[in-house]
Amino acid sequence: MTEPVLPEGVLTLKRRSDVPLAEQIYRSIRIAVQSGLLHSGSALPSTRRLAASLRVGRNTVNTAYDLLRAEGITRVKSGAAPRIASGIRLEGGPSPAGRGATLPRLSGRGELMAANIRGNGWAFRHGALQPGTPALDCFPYEEWARSLRRAARLERSPDLQYRNFSGLPALKKRLARYLASERGVRAEPEQILVTSSMQACLSLLSLALADPGDEAWLEEPGYLGARTAFHVAGLKVRPLPVDEEGADPGKLAQWEKPPRLIYVTPSHQYPLGIRMPLARRLALLDAAREAGAAILEDDYDSEFLFSGRPVAALQGLASEGQVIYLGTFSKSLMPGLRIAYCVVPQNLVASLEQFMRNMGCAANVQAQAALEHFMDCGAYQKHLKQIRRVYEARGIALVETLRACLGNRVDVKLPTGNVQVAILFREPIDDVTLAVAMQSRGFAVSPLSNCYLDRGAKPGLIIGFAGAQERQMVAGIDTLSNLLDSGNFCI
């Protein structure tokens, strides 16, 4: 009887490859089945014949055939050559006649979650003058490295497993003391939930505290991360106008349906940098109480007040449970740390802790332990003191450069804190196209108009200064001036 022979081109061994010869034989035959070169019922050469033709040991072929048989690609009968099993179909092989591949698609919820709420022109790529980014050249790398090494060396508790999903108790205690002394926040340590980001906090609270179709009110212009979280939760987002004193609670009565959530940034309004005075804060609390709404207070950049002390947090002025306080270390340290937190009412602690476990939005345990030590040893306060001076100098330098180069073409105020400024154009400008043009030249500014919900959007740019060097400021504003002079962005 004639011995079966493999079709030409099925097997070519690479003797110097890191892949063992038996594995090469197995893969080659598998690929031949997958591509249709070897069909169901096709006989394979005997191990002796194939070993001789390939000039390899018989045990090598035996190993390859054992792999094929274990995977169900071949079947072996006693005294007969191995054959390709009938009805075999491998991944990537040809589909049955008349049946095309069905590709997965996003669900309705997936479409919501994947939508780009920030809009065209928002700076996603890193570049000079990017808003919201801290100064990496001021980061205390050595002090932080010591805290990290200490955490990696000493943190060996069950917290490294599935425990304290809402945050390390030591960090919660440290945060509770810090918030009480610095921000007037009233919180027991267990009320603090530590998450991986501000966006995780907002998503957690939006999904847990409101149902699809409920209304959420957002400052206008306002933070696009909050708008994204509300959108993903299926909420109807309504604009809460901002004037020279921040969000105006007097506008709340204009809507027939009361909101479930109200998002505000009273310490430094995002993106305009306005500080909400006490009278306006009390009026907001009254309006929210009447509406039966929960206030989400994002204490945005409260650490970066350049002079005096910041106004106490809204949460400390409110009745129990009316305000949920949110904070992050993304600006005071770095976004890559991936630690944020929220202070929630006692009655919601257990439910929201389970919600966090279900969502999987816990923060890294060793990073939390390192942060607790970093704050405990005084390195955090020392760092804040240093970067306040640096950020103030850079903010003033940016505004002076803007005024010198652009004059009356823009309206821009000296920052009282924050890590970016918003400039408003005094002429009709397509700020989205202008921002894209700046980004293509290496300056990651963002368009102000994207922060508006209504059609009355004001054109402008949001420009970061915290991490900007003087040469970057000068080059960036020169580029902006030249683009405006071209006349290509006028409406």
Side-chain angles (χ1 to χ4, degrees):
M1 181 182 293
T2 305
E3 278 265 9
V5 179
L6 290 176
E8 187 176 350
V10 168
L11 263 175
T12 304
L13 298 183
K14 297 180 179 179
R15 309 268 173 186
R16 295 183 178 180
S17 172
D18 292 334
V19 180
L21 294 176
E23 180 78 11
Q24 293 185 49
I25 296 170
Y26 155 74
R27 291 184 186 180
S28 297
I29 294 175
R30 196 182 194 283
I31 291 171
V33 174
Q34 185 182 55
S35 63
L37 281 175
L38 289 175
H39 303 282
S40 297
S42 298
L44 299 181
S46 66
T47 56
R48 182 179 289 105
R49 173 69 179 269
L50 187 57
S53 65
L54 295 176
R55 290 179 293 148
V56 299
R58 191 177 175 188
N59 284 340
T60 299
V61 179
N62 280 331
T63 300
Y65 278 13
D66 286 343
L67 289 170
L68 292 166
R69 184 172 65 254
E71 199 171 346
I73 296 174
T74 62
R75 56 183 176 81
V76 180
K77 289 184 179 180
S78 179
R83 292 182 178 273
I84 304 299
S86 59
I88 188 71
R89 279 191 63 230
L90 301 178
E91 72 280 359
S95 300
R99 290 178 57 187
T102 301
L103 297 177
R105 62 181 181 83
L106 291 176
S107 64
R109 181 173 57 228
E111 294 282 359
L112 279 176
M113 298 183 73
N116 176 19
I117 303 303
R118 286 170 172 80
N120 295 329
W122 199 259
F124 289 104
R125 295 178 300 173
H126 179 71
L129 307 183
Q130 185 170 11
T133 56
L136 293 181
D137 61 323
C138 296
F139 186 77
Y141 292 100
E142 289 304 318
E143 291 90 340
W144 178 248
R146 282 195 289 270
S147 293
L148 272 178
R149 286 193 295 269
R150 183 179 185 276
R153 187 175 67 252
L154 299 180
E155 186 57 53
R156 300 183 183 183
S157 71
D159 290 317
L160 292 173
Q161 300 185 35
Y162 298 105
R163 194 175 78 159
N164 295 320
F165 207 82
S166 62
L168 289 182
L171 177 59
K172 289 185 176 189
K173 290 178 182 178
R174 176 62 53 190
L175 282 173
R177 291 196 294 270
Y178 172 79
L179 293 175
S181 63
E182 296 294 328
R183 303 298 299 119
V185 171
R186 294 177 286 109
E188 296 299 324
E190 64 268 17
Q191 291 178 256
I192 300 175
L193 307 181
V194 181
T195 73
S196 58
S197 66
M198 177 61 71
Q199 197 65 39
C201 284
L202 291 167
S203 296
L204 164 74
L205 297 169
S206 300
L207 291 168
L209 302 181
D211 293 314
D214 285 342
E215 292 196 354
W217 294 1
L218 173 67
E219 295 168 322
E220 183 177 59
Y223 180 50
L224 289 168
R227 192 197 304 179
T228 298
F230 295 157
H231 175 85
V232 168
L235 309 185
K236 295 180 180 178
V237 185
R238 304 295 190 187
L240 182 57
V242 171
D243 59 21
E244 65 277 1
E245 293 188 338
D248 183 2
K251 304 297 183 181
L252 297 179
Q254 294 182 359
W255 298 100
E256 295 181 3
K257 185 178 179 181
R260 291 294 299 272
L261 301 174
I262 301 173
Y263 173 88
V264 290
T265 52
S267 295
H268 277 110
Q269 197 277 332
Y270 182 90
L272 300 181
I274 299 166
R275 193 190 315 177
M276 185 184 289
L278 180 60
R280 178 65 63 88
R281 293 175 182 230
L282 295 175
L284 176 62
L285 290 174
D286 289 341
R289 189 179 301 111
E290 184 176 348
I295 296 176
L296 305 183
E297 179 189 12
D298 185 347
D299 204 19
Y300 188 76
D301 286 354
S302 63
E303 303 95 338
F304 303 135
L305 184 65
F306 296 151
S307 61
R309 287 185 60 84
V311 178
L314 198 62
Q315 192 264 8
L317 302 173
S319 55
E320 173 65 26
Q322 189 182 4
V323 176
I324 295 177
Y325 180 93
L326 302 98
T328 179
F329 291 91
S330 292
K331 308 298 185 296
S332 58
L333 292 176
M334 55 182 168
L337 181 59
R338 313 311 298 164
I339 293 183
Y341 57 91
C342 55
V343 179
V344 303
Q346 282 281 9
N347 67 302
L348 294 178
V349 169
S351 297
L352 290 178
E353 283 182 338
Q354 185 60 46
F355 201 112
M356 285 184 64
R357 178 177 288 274
N358 294 345
M359 284 184 63
C361 57
N364 179 278
V365 170
Q366 290 182 336
Q368 291 184 65
L371 178 59
E372 191 278 329
H373 176 260
F374 192 73
M375 297 178 74
D376 185 57
C377 72
Y380 183 62
Q381 291 286 42
K382 176 183 175 184
H383 173 60
L384 288 180
K385 185 176 180 180
Q386 176 193 0
I387 60 175
R388 282 191 197 106
R389 295 194 299 267
V390 174
Y391 288 5
E392 181 178 17
R394 290 178 178 179
I396 292 172
L398 175 63
V399 170
E400 289 178 346
T401 304
L402 281 163
R403 289 174 174 173
C405 291
L406 300 179
N408 292 329
R409 302 176 75 172
V410 298
D411 180 14
V412 58
K413 296 179 174 60
L414 283 171
T416 58
N418 226 315
V419 294
Q420 68 257 323
V421 295
I423 67 170
L424 285 82
F425 294 113
R426 289 197 167 116
E427 54 188 323
I429 294 290
D430 181 353
D431 60 351
V432 173
T433 306
L434 178 61
V436 171
M438 288 286 289
Q439 292 162 23
S440 68
R441 291 159 174 80
F443 302 100
V445 300
S446 289
L448 178 63
S449 64
N450 283 24
C451 297
Y452 287 79
L453 281 163
D454 280 357
R455 296 179 179 177
K458 297 179 180 179
L461 293 176
I462 307 172
I463 305 176
F465 59 75
Q469 303 296 326
E470 183 179 359
R471 57 180 177 76
Q472 293 175 318
M473 295 182 194
V474 172
I477 305 311
D478 281 346
T479 300
L480 175 59
S481 178
N482 292 334
L483 289 171
L484 290 172
D485 288 341
S486 72
N488 296 330
F489 305 95
C490 296
I491 299 176

